[in-house]
Amino acid sequence: MSKPANPVTLPLADYSPKHFLLAVVDRVATVTLNRPERKNPLTFESYRELTDFFRACAMDDEVKTVVVTGAGGNFSSGGDVFEIIGPLIQMDTKGLTAFTRMTGDLVKAMRACPQPIVAAVEGICAGAGAIIAMASDLRLAATGAKVAFLFNKVGLAGCDMGACAILPRIIGQSRASELLYTGRFMTAEEGEKWGFFSRIVTAEQVLPQAQLLGKQIAEGPTFANTMTKRMLAMEWAMSVEEAIEAEAVAQALCMTTEDFNRAFEAFSNKRTPVFEGN
């Protein structure tokens, strides 16, 4: 675990990751997990580089949304059995705790990333791959996609990388409990019915549709969208009364932006507003 990740440089459009693919088009950054021969497993290095990437997103105003997907017809099979699970068997408690905190840092970075994140899920989405999909803000599924939180299948608890906190809020306590206790796969149809997926599309359309959704969000008011993401996270720990007050302050701040003025002027002149992010 001592090998350093590839330092992230700005702008992200010019950054060349070592452990995933990155393309920035129309202000949408598409991250592709790219080990298709193994169903795109994660390694110590890819965990770190992904974490650093999502943290760097906060410093690149030209990226408005992020799409995460996998190459070769699968999203991700999770932590690599030989490159991660094997070495974990040899670690002491201190090393294991450093590892679990490192994996959790990826979810923290995704939640703190100001840009909305859209997951385009195809094929197998398991273990830490399921966590990445879960930690995204929106999820689209390809027909036949399957999601499993496999931790108990390898003798571990389902409480990994925030799963016990986040998954019940998406699909409900009982359904989350079933998936975390059994490790079984959730089908795309179940995922859509339960609210994990926004919709199901064909395999050929899942990435283009996710990128289109990302582009639609990117064309919106950036400051306001960032505020929405932040409040969605913060209000988990608030009472309704506290949330209403926090939203009052947040919305008042949004009313000071130029994009708010642009929307009013466009509406007054029967035009579609063109937001510039300030």
Side-chain angles (χ1 to χ4, degrees), residues 94-114:
K94 181 179 179 181
L96 291 169
T97 305
F99 168 74
T100 53
R101 285 175 174 158
M102 179 193 73
T103 61
D105 280 344
L106 173 55
V107 175
K108 292 179 183 178
M110 293 177 70
R111 285 170 54 77
C113 167

Side-chain angles (χ1 to χ4, degrees), residues 251-273:
Q251 198 70 298
L253 285 174
C254 291
M255 291 173 182
T256 68
T257 63
E258 291 300 318
D259 275 345
F260 182 60
N261 288 332
R262 291 184 186 102
F264 174 72
E265 291 174 3
F267 179 81
S268 298
N269 292 286
K270 298 182 180 180
R271 292 185 286 102
T272 300

Side-chain angles (χ1 to χ4, degrees), residues 35 39 203:
R35 298 179 70 195
K39 297 183 174 66

Side-chain angles (χ1 to χ4, degrees), residues 178-199:
E178 178 185 341
L179 295 183
L180 296 176
Y181 281 128
T182 67
R184 77 166 179 86
F185 278 97
M186 171 178 62
T187 66
E189 290 76 18
E190 285 177 318
E192 182 186 36
K193 180 181 178 181
W194 294 353
F196 189 81
F197 293 118
S198 296
R199 59 181 178 270

Side-chain angles (χ1 to χ4, degrees), residues 93-152:
T93 301
K94 181 179 179 181
L96 291 169
T97 305
F99 168 74
T100 53
R101 285 175 174 158
M102 179 193 73
T103 61
D105 280 344
L106 173 55
V107 175
K108 292 179 183 178
M110 293 177 70
R111 285 170 54 77
C113 167
Q115 293 88 343
I117 303 168
V118 183
V121 178
E122 183 181 0
I124 298 298
C125 177
I131 295 288
I132 291 175
M134 177 196 76
S136 300
D137 298 286
L138 305 97
R139 291 156 294 275
L140 304 186
T143 304
K146 299 189 296 183
V147 180
F149 298 84
L150 292 174
F151 307 110
N152 83 326

